[in-house]
Structures are given as C-alpha cells and as structure tokens.
Amino acid sequence: MASGTLDTLPKDLRKEIEHLERLFTVDGAKLKEVTNHFVNELEKGLSVQGGSIPMNPTWVMSFPDGNETGTYLALDMGGTNLRVCQVTLTETKSEFDIIQSKYRMPEELKTGDAEELWEYIADCLMQFIETHHGDPTKLDALPLGFTFSYPATQHYIDEGVLQRWTKGFDIAGVEGHNVVPMFEAALKRRGVPIKLTALINDTTGTLIASAYTDPKMRIGCIFGTGCNAAYMENCGSIPKLAHMNLPPDMPMAINCEWGAFDNEHKVLPRTPYDVIIDKDSPRPGQQSFEKMVAGLYLGEIFRLVLVDLHDNHETHIFPGQDIAKLRKAYSLDSSFLSLIEEDPFENLSETFELFQTKLGLTPTGPELELIRRTAELIGTRAARLSACGVAAISKKKGYKECHVGADGSVFNKYPNFKARGAQALREILDWPEKADPKEDDPIEILAAEDGSGVGAALIAALTMQRIKQGNMHGILHPENFRTVEPLVA
C-alpha cells in the first residue's frame, strides 16, 4: 500500500495499520537470526539426541541422472483422491510419459475399518492394471512407488510405521504399525500383480522428480496447506546413522518435516494472534513454523486480526454489523487472502463484494484499505519466513548457486509469494543488486515437477537400480526385489 493512501485514512485506522505493520514486518536482520537458528536446528535433527525438526532419513540414496528407463507405477494416497500413475521413463534423457487415473476417496473409508481401506486401494490398482495391461494373471509383478504423505517412521525404504493420521483420516489399528504388510496383504487377496518397491513422502518425491528434469535442483519444498522440505545429505553428516557404518560420502535424502522448527519459541517473531492459533490448535506447542507460513493458517491469522479489531480496539471496525460469520474459526482459507491481494481496483470493489457475499459485511473505504494491508502483511511474512528454511539448507550445504523445486497451493497460487521469497533470500544471503532485472538469482525457487506421481516412480527406479548394484542399505525385504522388473519402455 502506498504511504500516500495511508495518509488519507482516518487517524485511528492509520494507527491500527501502523501497529499491525510493527507486529507482522520481519526485517532483514531478523530473517538472518531466524536462518542461523534454523541451520543449528537442522544439525540438531540429524544428531543422535535429535531435536524439534525430525530430519527423517528416507533411504533414497542418489539423485537421478536423467538416463533412468522403464515403466513404473505410482500410487498417491491423498485426503480426497487416490491417484494411480503409470510413468514411463523414456530413452530420451530427462523425459517421461505419464498415464494417470483418479479415484475418489470415499469419506466413510477415512474413519472406517483398516482392511476396507486397503481393499479399496487394491481394487483401484486392479482396475487401473486391467484397463492398461489387460489380464493381470499374465503379468509379472510390477514395481510401485507409494506416496504415503502422512507422518511415518522409516528405517527402510520398503516400510513405514504410521505415527499419526492427518487429513481427516482416523482409522483404528494403523497408528504405530507398519502400513506396508497391510497394503501388500490386500494386494495378495485381490491377486494384484504389484510389489511395493518404495514408500515415499511427497516432499522427497518433489526433490527427485525436479532433479530428473533439472540437474541444478538441490532442494524440494512444499508450500501448501502445510510446509516441508527435502534435500540430499551425506551419510557422514548424519550422526544418528553412524551405528550403520555407511560410507561417509554416500548420499541420503532427508525429509526435514520442518513445520516443527522452533517449537521452543526461541526465535520466530510470533504475534498475539500466532499464540492464539497455537493454543487453540489440536496440538499446541507443535508445528510452530508451519502455523506461521502454511496455507491452512494464513486465513485464520487474518480472521483473528479482524475479530480483535472489532471487539477490543478503540477503532471498532464494522460498527453496528453482525460479525457472526467472521467469528467462525477456520472459515477463511488462504485463497480468501489471495483474492484480496489480487483485487486490481483502486476502490477495492472486488474485496467489498467478497466481504458482502462471504461474510455478510459492508466495509467502508478506509476499512477496505485496512483489510488489504492486513492481507499483504500476513502473506508477505509467510513468504519471507519460508525463505529462511531454503536459506538455512543452502547455508548448511554450502550451496552458493542452485535451483529449488517448490510445489503446493500457496507457492503456485498466492500472489507475489515467489517474488517476496526471492527478495528475502537476497537479504539473508547478502546478494548484490542485479545489474539486469532479467538476470537469474544465484538460488532460484522454481515450480517443481510432480513429486507424488513421477517422483514416486523415479524413486522406485532408483531403488531397483541400487539393489542391482549391491547397495542393500535400508531394504527390509531384499527377497521381494528378485521377482520385480520394470516393464520395458
């Protein structure tokens, strides 16, 4: 918002905006402080003692080089859909073909019986195979990469012990158990010719899929409903794996689960609104970073600010109006803020209509200016803090130049998120000003390839490749891999 616009506002509203600017603005010095603490916390997560950030080894032990070939299946189990993909890595370097089908995840299955869930998934896979390959009894077992994006402990690439359900799932008898035998038992009962080769997290998939098409990729990130990152570490820098005597220079993809950064509240610039979000959340004291940057929370921070300005300040915004709809927790998501920030009109007429239709409120002109500035402040803070994580991995690994593959609704759809993140990286890493505005930044955050589909298939390919080369680290059932071959492209 131009300062000229601020000058024309009534004094009380101007005071409120200035107060919000002090609360939500994160300057370059603070970004550097957050980044340095982030580097230490990444290190701590890799140590034997561990820390807030889990830093999970994934047993994905190389980047693709673009020459991988063969046809692999990928299964992506999301909250709303089940996606089955057949990915063919072609003879042409870094190219792939993909066939995919989506199947709705019935709501009743999400709180039903574990066996029913796995049988439904097996049925969908069988349907896909019959459609694309004909008679399943005539097929050898096909290799599958399974994107299971729920918090899971992995001591092997072909296992995953579910820590807790998220995304609306709550099925008894699965938490604390390895999901792979349950899945494989359902495949066996249905006669589905598939062998699970790798269980992966979507963030690790994003890293690997992006690296397949772009050799400069070093980090994969998700900025969506939640937030996360993955990168490639050397086994010698992972003290918690020292007992396995892995070669120190052997690579290992790490799924950071960095939403848990600063759960101790040492460095993140939390506002009273962030404190309320944490206190009222299902898991107070957890996922502190995520609660300040992820799409799930941005609309809620905004809503809390507006309710506070109506209830508790001298400037009672929306006076004499019923704010019942605005009082409903989590009724506004990040797309609501996107629409406000995208409003192209000087008089913010689209924002006015949005408030009337969604919330039954009629904001004045000055209130619209306050609304717009509040959205900008929250969106900008999220982008700038997100950049601290990217900068921390880059500093830890000594990356001076690289590409970062990012996916997720906030990265792809939130206005100015990319530009604000890039500006923050420039401030944290002290890059000189560009001579030419078209010049690339040393570390560029770019749109990622499909991590949960192509990434899962590639990880299945890389796992089979390393087993053939005799690298059996992190494989629970080597015998399963003797009978599995990719279809020839």
Side-chain angles (χ1 to χ4, degrees), residues 126 128-140 142 191 193:
M126 186 63 123
F128 184 88
I129 287 172
E130 285 172 346
T131 304
H132 299 290
H133 295 284
D135 184 354
T137 59
K138 298 200 167 88
L139 290 171
D140 291 332
L142 303 169

Side-chain angles (χ1 to χ4, degrees), residues 305-373:
V305 171
L306 295 190
V307 170
D308 184 40
L309 288 175
H310 174 277
D311 288 355
N312 305 319
H313 290 237
E314 287 170 38
T315 317
H316 292 293
I317 60 170
F318 316 130
Q321 298 186 59
D322 179 6
I323 71 157
K325 285 185 176 169
L326 187 63
R327 288 195 190 280
K328 188 166 180 276
Y330 290 93
S331 52
L332 307 180
D333 60 14
S334 59
S335 65
F336 190 85
L337 267 69
S338 295
L339 291 168
I340 296 169
E341 285 221 49
E342 279 171 339
D343 188 341
F345 297 105
E346 186 112 348
N347 66 353
L348 300 174
S349 57
E350 287 186 359
T351 306
F352 180 80
E353 282 171 30
L354 187 64
F355 268 70
Q356 280 202 318
T357 52
K358 176 103 185 182
L359 297 168
L361 294 171
T362 306
T364 64
E367 284 169 352
L368 286 169
E369 296 289 354
L370 169 87
I371 286 162
R372 168 70 157 240
R373 186 68 187 123

Side-chain angles (χ1 to χ4, degrees), residues 41-229:
E41 290 297 301
L42 295 172
E43 297 274 8
K44 202 188 281 183
L46 294 171
S47 71
V48 177
Q49 296 77 19
S52 286
I53 307 178
M55 302 296 280
N56 296 327
T58 64
W59 303 99
V60 175
M61 302 181 83
S62 66
F63 275 121
D65 62 11
N67 296 314
E68 293 76 13
T69 56
T71 296
Y72 302 82
L73 296 182
L75 169 66
D76 178 15
M77 181 180 154
T80 15
N81 291 313
L82 198 64
R83 184 166 64 117
V84 182
C85 311
Q86 176 173 299
V87 179
T88 301
L89 309 172
T90 67
E91 297 292 335
T92 311
K93 187 174 162 61
S94 297
E95 285 191 9
F96 61 85
D97 296 321
I98 184 166
I99 303 165
Q100 53 187 328
S101 297
K102 276 188 181 172
Y103 305 89
R104 194 179 68 80
M105 180 65 80
E107 280 301 314
E108 62 275 13
L109 277 187
K110 294 167 79 169
T111 52
D113 173 76
E115 206 166 281
E116 285 174 10
L117 171 73
W118 302 117
E119 300 236 325
Y120 176 73
I121 294 172
D123 285 341
C124 294
L125 285 164
M126 186 63 123
Q127 200 178 318
F128 184 88
I129 287 172
E130 285 172 346
T131 304
H132 299 290
H133 295 284
D135 184 354
T137 59
K138 298 200 167 88
L139 290 171
D140 291 332
L142 303 169
L144 173 92
F146 183 179
T147 302
F148 186 74
S149 295
Y150 303 85
T153 307
Q154 270 192 290
H155 298 295
Y156 305 92
I157 200 162
D158 49 346
E159 71 138 30
V161 176
L162 178 68
Q163 292 165 355
R164 63 180 187 277
W165 283 118
T166 55
K167 301 179 191 174
F169 279 88
D170 189 12
I171 298 171
V174 186
E175 290 183 351
H177 296 278
N178 181 3
V179 299
V180 174
M182 303 181 201
F183 172 64
E184 292 198 318
L187 294 179
K188 196 173 178 184
R189 281 194 299 274
R190 288 284 195 266
V192 187
I194 278 175
K195 268 282 175 233
L196 182 130
T197 307
L199 189 81
I200 74 149
N201 177 280
D202 58 348
T203 315
T204 314
T206 296
L207 169 68
I208 298 301
S210 302
Y212 178 70
T213 57
D214 177 355
K216 286 187 178 171
M217 282 290 170
R218 290 292 173 271
I219 303 168
C221 292
I222 305 285
F223 301 118
T225 310
C227 67
N228 196 10

Side-chain angles (χ1 to χ4, degrees), residues 386-407:
S386 295
C388 294
V390 173
I393 292 176
S394 304
K395 283 182 86 162
K396 182 186 182 318
K397 293 297 294 175
Y399 296 146
K400 299 288 182 222
E401 293 185 9
C402 71
H403 288 170
V404 177
D407 203 353

Side-chain angles (χ1 to χ4, degrees), residues 46-47 55 57 233-242 250 252 254:
L46 294 171
S47 71
M55 302 296 280
E233 190 52 270
N234 299 326
C235 288
S237 301
I238 312 175
K240 63 184 176 184
L241 293 184
M250 183 176 272
M252 171 78 77
I254 298 292

